[in-house]
Amino acid sequence: MPRLPDRLFERFQRLDQLRETHSPFYLAALLLGGFVAVLVVAPLFWLVLRAGTVEPARAIELLSSRRSVLIGARSIALVLGTTVASVLLGVPLAVLTTRTDLPAQRLFSVVIALPLVIPSYIGAFAFVSAFGRHGEVGSLLGLNLPRIDGFAGAVLVITLYTYPYVFLGTRAALRSMDASLVEAARSLDAGPVEAFRRVTLPQIRPAISAGALLVALYALSDFGTPAFMGVSVFTSAIYMESEAFNVGYAALLSLQLLTLAGVILLVESRTGRATGQTARRRGSPIELGWLRYPAMALVGLLGAVTILLPVGLFLSWMVRGTGGAVPSLAFQPQHALNSVGFSLAAALVASVMALPVAYLGVSGRSRLGRLLERGTYVGFAVPGVVIGLALVFLGSSTAPWLYRTAPLLVFAYVVRFLPQAVGTTRSALEGFDDQIAEAARTLNAGPWRTFRKVVFPEIAPGVLAGAALVFLTTMKELPATLMLQPIGRDTLATMIWAAHGSLYYRYAAVPALVLIVVSGVSMLVLLAQDESGI
């Protein structure tokens, strides 16, 4: 076994080799990227630390209690039900808009993707108001309609607002697949179902898996929809326990939630990857015949239920007014300004932090750089309520001067949504021509000046797109905002929560409509990044 001085000498040798083989610019990026990665992962340390203060016997008792088992089983069932339903809805719709003779396919594709415009918790709020106890639709029609709430209601609502993840990925895979493969299968007397199972499905399975992963993680981390539907799952239970100051139990539930998220990521990582098929021969479309009319009606019904219903309901509330019953819940321009201010700050910080991380990922010069880049993606898998709880522990116990302040809230947003900024910035860097930078260096321009004068102007659109995505998703974030917002600085999302909690639903009309408009802008940003359109 080597002695300690020998091992230290080997470490210093490795540092010398790293310094000799990499430029100062890369080493600076490595240091900055490491700092960013540590900051992003740090909240989980505080969570584990707090959970470790619970006595082992007490922890086992809490985690094995009937309530904990039911919460875990209900969360798993919600994820499975939503994911399966989204696949069963999204895949056929993708086939319908790419492989059939459905008229106005582009228009119908937009309608099918539009539910992404509305945050699921706003959709849940609308469904509970319209079809819950004493729902507006039943009262208007004078009918006793089935109630949409509880576990079944949560599965339905999350499915309706997340299936586009499966639809968009599957549709893109189908458009890039060579349809002649399917025609060859049909020429061998394979029916449509057999040809889809043996030829098409293996080609599009990675895209379906990627969309299903997004749906599963969304369902697992969704806080507002289960809360509005009255379903006790991990996210809502963690929030309730933290509000009741049962912080040890909340920390243990958070670790269970993180474990389940890790299992989902592990399962997805074992699925097949894309084959790199790029041919776009469309082939002969499937003739729908008279089925085109039910198909168009189905798409129209989806658009009406997911878009027209909530927008129409909120507009009617806004027209009818609130009656002034609870002035403290009335919409104030300051609520929108608070949301915009926090979101702008998060977008700016995330964009700056994403630059060194994305550079490390693109350069691929060391495993350490790639590891640091992957570490910043922790926010992609960690629900907002867990990040909020971890930072509550940090702020309340270690840095009370930070608790309930704007910097801590902005930091929570950055941890949660930094992967969006890293992704778009990395894509911009991958598309940058290195020869341009080399040409600048031949003119005696240093690495910092080359980056500032040559590289950054070229990648600025990608950086701005990432900032826009962080801004727009931060505007909609609910659980972290509830747990960390500065006192007296309500946002649009927290006002919707307050209106629901007080049962004065009409006060949510204006904040909800503003968030829908903001989400619509986010859809335009996403479409602008897709050169081929939707």
Side-chain angles (χ1 to χ4, degrees), residues 31-64:
L31 290 175
L32 290 174
F35 177 70
V36 171
V38 170
L39 282 180
V40 169
V41 178
L44 300 185
F45 167 77
W46 294 103
L47 183 66
V48 174
L49 193 65
R50 187 62 186 86
T53 61
V54 182
E55 292 290 335
R58 177 58 176 164
I60 294 174
E61 179 186 351
L62 289 172
L63 295 178
S64 61

Side-chain angles (χ1 to χ4, degrees), residues 27-270:
L27 293 177
L30 194 63
L31 290 175
L32 290 174
F35 177 70
V36 171
V38 170
L39 282 180
V40 169
V41 178
L44 300 185
F45 167 77
W46 294 103
L47 183 66
V48 174
L49 193 65
R50 187 62 186 86
T53 61
V54 182
E55 292 290 335
R58 177 58 176 164
I60 294 174
E61 179 186 351
L62 289 172
L63 295 178
S64 61
S65 65
R66 184 175 183 274
R67 180 168 182 262
S68 296
V69 172
L70 288 177
I71 289 173
R74 205 176 290 117
S75 299
I76 294 173
L78 180 66
V79 171
L80 291 177
T82 303
T83 303
V84 171
S86 297
V87 171
L88 293 178
L89 184 59
V91 174
L93 288 173
V95 174
L96 180 67
T97 56
T98 56
R99 293 301 175 87
T100 71
D101 61 350
L102 182 75
Q105 288 187 359
R106 182 176 178 82
L107 173 63
F108 283 118
S109 297
V110 172
V111 173
I112 293 170
L114 271 179
L116 286 179
V117 167
I118 297 183
S120 63
Y121 65 84
I122 290 183
F125 191 97
F127 271 78
V128 168
S129 304
F131 300 107
R133 186 186 299 272
H134 308 300
E136 299 251 349
V137 175
S139 301
L140 180 64
L141 299 178
L143 300 175
N144 188 18
L145 297 176
R147 290 174 54 184
I148 299 180
D149 55 12
F151 178 80
V155 172
L156 174 65
V157 170
I158 297 177
T159 297
L160 289 176
Y161 289 99
T162 58
Y163 79 85
Y165 290 123
V166 178
F167 165 76
L168 290 172
T170 306
R171 186 174 187 271
L174 286 170
R175 292 183 65 188
S176 64
M177 177 182 165
D178 190 352
S180 63
L181 298 175
V182 180
E183 293 180 352
R186 290 180 184 173
S187 67
L188 298 176
D189 296 329
V193 176
E194 184 73 8
F196 179 83
R197 184 176 66 86
R198 290 194 171 188
V199 179
T200 304
L201 186 58
Q203 296 288 324
I204 65 175
R205 186 181 290 117
I208 297 175
S209 174
L213 171 67
L214 292 176
V215 173
L217 290 176
Y218 189 103
L220 184 65
S221 63
D222 195 346
F223 166 76
T225 301
F228 288 163
M229 290 288 175
V231 182
S232 181
V233 292
F234 276 126
T235 51
S236 57
I238 290 169
Y239 178 76
M240 290 177 61
E241 294 300 327
S242 66
E243 289 294 293
F245 301 103
N246 297 326
V247 292
Y249 188 31
L252 293 173
L253 290 175
S254 297
L255 292 182
Q256 283 189 309
L257 178 56
L258 290 178
T259 301
L260 184 54
V263 171
I264 292 173
L265 290 172
L266 178 63
V267 171
E268 192 278 336
S269 68
R270 294 181 178 274

Side-chain angles (χ1 to χ4, degrees), residues 375-444:
T376 61
Y377 279 81
V378 66
F380 175 74
V382 179
V385 67
V386 174
I387 293 175
L389 181 65
L391 293 180
V392 166
F393 294 152
L394 170 64
S396 59
S397 60
T398 305
W401 50 274
L402 264 180
Y403 185 56
R404 291 284 184 178
T405 62
L408 191 62
L409 177 60
V410 170
F411 177 63
Y413 292 150
V414 171
V415 173
R416 184 83 171 92
F417 303 119
L418 179 61
Q420 294 176 331
V422 172
T424 58
T425 303
R426 174 170 180 162
S427 297
L429 283 170
E430 287 175 339
F432 177 74
D433 188 356
D434 291 336
Q435 293 181 354
I436 300 177
E438 291 296 334
R441 293 192 186 102
T442 60
L443 299 176
N444 296 325

